[in-house]
Amino acid sequence: MNLRRLAAVWHARNLEFLRDRATLIFNFLFPLALVVAFALIFGGEPRALFKVDVLAPPGAALDAGLHPFLGTRHVDFVRIGADDLEATIRKVERHQVDLLVDLRAAPRYWVNEDSPKGYLAEKLLLESAGGRAARQPVTGAAVRYVDWLLPGILGMNMMFSCLFGVGYVVVRYRKSGFLRRLSATPVTALEFGAAQVLSRLLLTLTVTSLLYGALSLLVPFRNEGSVLLLFAVAAAGALSMIAFGFMMAARFTSEELATGAINLASWPMMLLSGVWFSLEGAPQWLQHAARALPLTWMLDAARAVMLDGAGLPAVLPALGVLVGMAVLFLAIAAAGFRWRSD
């Protein structure tokens, strides 16, 4: 090994990296943004021991002035609306909420008699209320974490396949000159993009279906809804994320920059779309930001089908949003598509 030649190549590669300002800036900003995101999501006070949903009079503050129980420490009190009552009762049945308290008139509460945390939260409520609260017992099996997590894992796998399977490949086509040669043919940017989207859609849905079938044999999980409807949700979600990946790669010429930008887009979806944990109870602005991500809509619809047995009318708005996102992303990509790298 010649150390002078090694040093010359090493020096040249360092200069190449430093001159690629976009990649250099990304390598600095991405970890910074990631740490800030984790600090916003997981920072602050220690996590509460119990989660209690509260139906309170309009405009009333959730504090001890409304009811002594609301002054209990280490309990996460979440305000709900009257329209959310039935949905929250189902959460109590499935151990997703420890207690549901209605303070609009005479205090009453719902508790799952099979929930250990619900039992303790009920004791705290009755002690603070002096036993003056009407009890509404419910029963139901808990939604296991694996039941809740499975859609997130499959959705995350689809997200990476969609974003990198289209975004990175299109940039490589552009850098190798394949797109330049293709531009001499009658193929339009929209036609090229649609072909890429449909090809990746077929592959993604095939792999996800095989994974779903294999997991159903190896790890029994809960699915109370229609498998065909679940497939439609997966198709709409994959379509929107593939179009998103194609939009991001419409103009990039550097594979390194494209990879970094796709990572920058995928990490917020992993953190905010509910892959690993629910954002319920998080700041409202954070929940609104998550609604701008296609993975959020897909996972919410998939969990509604699998855990709640939701039908087509319940998930139709989510399907509409996902298809609308796909059309928007594909139109933006086609309008600004770049055939050449120079």
Side-chain angles (χ1 to χ4, degrees), residues 2-197:
N2 188 300
L3 294 181
R4 291 183 61 186
R5 292 197 298 266
L6 186 150
V9 175
W10 173 79
H11 181 63
R13 180 65 187 107
N14 289 341
L15 290 178
E16 181 185 3
F17 177 76
L18 292 174
R19 288 168 182 167
D20 189 354
R21 295 182 180 179
T23 305
L24 181 63
I25 292 173
F26 174 81
N27 276 267
F28 174 76
L29 291 180
F30 178 65
L32 183 65
L34 191 60
V35 171
V36 171
F38 271 107
L40 288 173
I41 296 172
F42 298 109
E45 299 295 327
R47 297 181 68 87
L49 298 177
F50 305 101
K51 181 176 180 180
V52 176
D53 283 0
V54 181
L55 193 58
L62 296 186
D63 55 28
L66 178 61
H67 191 277
F69 179 54
L70 300 181
T72 307
R73 297 175 58 191
H74 309 302
V75 178
D76 183 17
F77 296 103
V78 179
R79 181 190 294 271
I80 65 168
D83 296 338
D84 301 324
L85 181 60
E86 295 300 323
T88 307
I89 292 175
R90 287 198 299 271
K91 291 182 179 180
V92 176
E93 292 174 351
R94 294 173 180 175
H95 303 220
Q96 294 174 295
V97 171
D98 300 317
L99 213 61
L100 169 59
V101 181
D102 185 358
L103 300 176
R104 292 175 298 177
R108 58 175 180 164
Y109 66 95
W110 287 259
V111 60
N112 191 322
E113 296 182 317
D114 300 323
S115 170
K117 295 181 68 175
Y119 172 81
L120 295 175
E122 180 184 18
K123 294 296 183 183
L124 293 174
L125 169 65
L126 294 179
E127 181 180 353
S128 61
R132 295 185 298 274
R135 188 174 192 261
Q136 306 285 337
V138 298
T139 59
V143 173
R144 301 173 303 164
Y145 184 58
V146 66
D147 298 326
W148 192 87
L149 181 64
L150 179 72
I153 295 296
L154 292 178
M156 181 185 67
N157 187 64
M158 291 174 61
M159 175 192 69
F160 282 120
S161 175
C162 295
L163 295 183
F164 284 96
V166 172
Y168 185 82
V169 169
V170 170
V171 174
R172 181 161 53 84
Y173 282 168
R174 184 178 294 115
K175 191 173 183 179
S176 67
F178 174 75
L179 291 184
R180 178 186 296 180
R181 296 191 296 272
L182 195 63
S183 65
T185 70
V187 175
T188 65
L190 183 60
E191 292 168 345
F192 173 76
Q196 293 293 318
V197 168

Side-chain angles (χ1 to χ4, degrees), residues 1 116 166 186 267 289 292-293 297 310 315:
M1 178 183 293
V166 172
W267 272 95
L293 305 172
W297 290 93
V315 300

